[in-house]
Amino acid sequence: MGDLTGVDLNAFDFDDVLGRSDEFADVGCSLWFANGGLVSTIALGMVGCEQFDDVNDVNFYWGMWRLLTQTTAGLTDTVTYEHDPNVDERARWEDGEVIDDLAPFSQTRTFEFPDPIGEQETYVISHPEPITFPKAPIAQETNVDRIITRGVWHEEWAEYERTLHAMDALDAEPLEVYGGEVDPLEVAQEQVKRAGREREAEWKPPEKLSTETEWTPQTILSAEITGSVAEEDETAVLHLEQPYPFFDGNEITTMREYGCYVDLPLSVTLQLMADGAVNEERIFVTETSGLDADRYFEEMEARGFELREEQTPATRPSSPADD
């Protein structure tokens, strides 16, 4: 079967998946691999790097701001996976090499997100930008030295994950209870999931989800790029914020709001492929897709997202015509 076009949220097993690219090309199939919110962060990095002659650091940030009980089963497992000390996917790219197996909560750096998140101490998360972004032509043109992805979850989530670490729950052997075996981690995870299901049982507007907070749950994706323009040190900071009300104000659950930053890129990229704006017959990632990052953000803004350029270099980068 051929002539199929698709997008894939998966971001694991890069070598195995991309290794089948020729098979897809032979039958005229296209697969945009490692899609979802990752497209947005990569596009932020592209736009940021275009403002420099040479780039030292590309820092990607994921701000995930919602309470512990604002969750689904999948989200609960994902957050815990990202903090699992046995996972070796926390990485940075430096001097042409991927350095992985970084410890949870390490590589800390203070970063200020827009409200409601504000200034936070971020830490490395298991996300593939350090693996994929070096493939971007603009990253190669600007001689990027270092790439790392950090993030921060609301303190309730961070406290929960640190507690799992402190009690060795992620390495614990099953316990015998009334003649049966119980996994301590599964018990803790199930309680978080149950609390999320109970909160989902009755829809409420996001700003009314908690009597303890005055902020609306939010996901903010950011990039901070440092480098030089005309031999002057410069910095660029960009944020992508999702809209509220979500989905034109239609009644939604908390997790549909959470999924907004994932679902919209999937939809936009598939439409770009259908329109021929991205025309590849193989398996590819955002960096090698030929994506026009400005066009991507135009499409996202048409759907209610906001691209905010908080800081840009004072001067413009040189072009080949300037040399």
Side-chain angles (χ1 to χ4, degrees):
M1 182 180 297
D3 298 322
L4 297 177
T5 299
V7 292
D8 188 353
L9 188 58
N10 176 39
F12 300 102
D13 302 320
F14 274 90
D15 292 340
D16 291 341
V17 175
L18 294 176
R20 301 191 62 188
S21 184
D22 289 344
E23 296 177 41
F24 271 61
D26 289 343
V27 293
C29 289
S30 301
L31 177 64
W32 195 322
F33 184 56
N35 208 292
L38 185 59
V39 177
S40 297
T41 53
I42 296 304
L44 287 172
M46 290 178 175
V47 170
C49 286
E50 287 171 355
Q51 302 176 33
F52 292 82
D53 293 326
D54 292 284
V55 172
N56 297 327
D57 293 273
V58 179
N59 298 284
F60 293 105
Y61 295 96
W62 290 69
M64 321 297 281
W65 215 243
R66 58 202 14 86
L67 301 181
L68 182 64
T69 52
Q70 294 169 4
T71 188
T72 64
L75 175 62
T76 303
D77 290 337
T78 296
V79 180
T80 300
Y81 176 85
E82 289 185 354
H83 293 84
D84 188 336
N86 301 301
V87 170
D88 65 358
E89 294 162 5
R90 287 173 293 272
R92 72 176 187 271
W93 189 84
E94 188 167 359
D95 297 330
E97 294 184 4
V98 174
I99 302 169
D100 58 13
D101 204 17
L102 302 177
F105 297 106
S106 68
Q107 309 287 307
T108 59
R109 192 164 190 266
T110 299
F111 181 73
E112 186 167 0
F113 294 92
D115 291 335
I117 302 177
E119 186 176 276
Q120 301 292 331
E121 183 179 79
T122 64
Y123 46 84
V124 64
I125 61 174
S126 56
H127 224 260
E129 287 93 344
I131 299 170
T132 63
F133 195 67
K135 303 177 188 297
I138 189 62
Q140 297 170 9
E141 292 167 13
T142 55
N143 304 306
V144 173
D145 290 331
R146 289 172 296 275
I147 304 166
I148 191 168
T149 303
R150 298 180 178 88
V152 63
W153 294 85
H154 187 271
E155 52 257 30
E156 287 189 359
W157 279 103
E159 183 178 2
Y160 170 66
E161 296 299 334
R162 289 184 185 276
T163 300
L164 293 179
H165 280 228
M167 59 191 286
D168 292 330
L170 293 133
D171 293 310
E173 296 293 330
L175 301 172
E176 185 172 331
V177 179
Y178 296 115
E181 288 192 339
V182 175
D183 185 326
L185 178 60
E186 288 186 7
V187 172
Q189 293 285 91
E190 181 54 36
Q191 171 53 30
V192 176
K193 295 172 186 178
R194 183 171 68 175
R197 288 193 298 269
E198 290 175 353
R199 178 158 294 206
E200 288 281 276
E202 181 179 354
W203 181 85
K204 294 180 180 179
E207 80 276 15
K208 296 181 180 178
L209 284 170
S210 174
T211 58
E212 306 143 24
T213 62
E214 296 180 354
W215 43 266
T216 300
Q218 181 63 296
T219 300
I220 299 175
L221 308 180
S222 304
E224 181 182 38
I225 296 93
T226 63
S228 62
V229 183
E231 300 184 354
E232 294 290 333
D233 292 340
E234 297 282 3
T235 299
V237 180
L238 305 95
H239 309 284
L240 184 65
E241 300 177 66
Q242 63 184 27
Y244 177 79
F246 309 96
F247 301 110
D248 297 323
N250 294 330
E251 291 193 355
I252 59 167
T253 63
T254 312
M255 286 303 102
R256 287 179 186 158
E257 168 266 318
Y258 175 76
C260 185
Y261 82 93
V262 174
D263 299 340
L264 263 293
L266 286 165
S267 173
V268 167
T269 52
L270 190 57
Q271 291 174 58
L272 290 174
M273 293 171 75
D275 292 343
V278 172
N279 187 19
E280 297 284 344
E281 290 187 350
R282 57 191 175 92
I283 301 175
F284 56 90
V285 292
T286 299
E287 292 84 344
T288 60
S289 66
L291 173 70
D292 181 337
D294 292 326
R295 165 77 184 276
Y296 172 75
F297 285 125
E298 287 174 5
E299 296 291 343
M300 293 293 282
E301 289 182 316
R303 292 157 176 80
F305 276 66
E306 179 184 356
L307 174 63
R308 182 192 301 188
E309 296 187 82
E310 178 183 316
Q311 184 175 348
T312 59
T315 55
R316 296 181 61 83
S318 59
S319 65
D322 300 326
D323 296 334

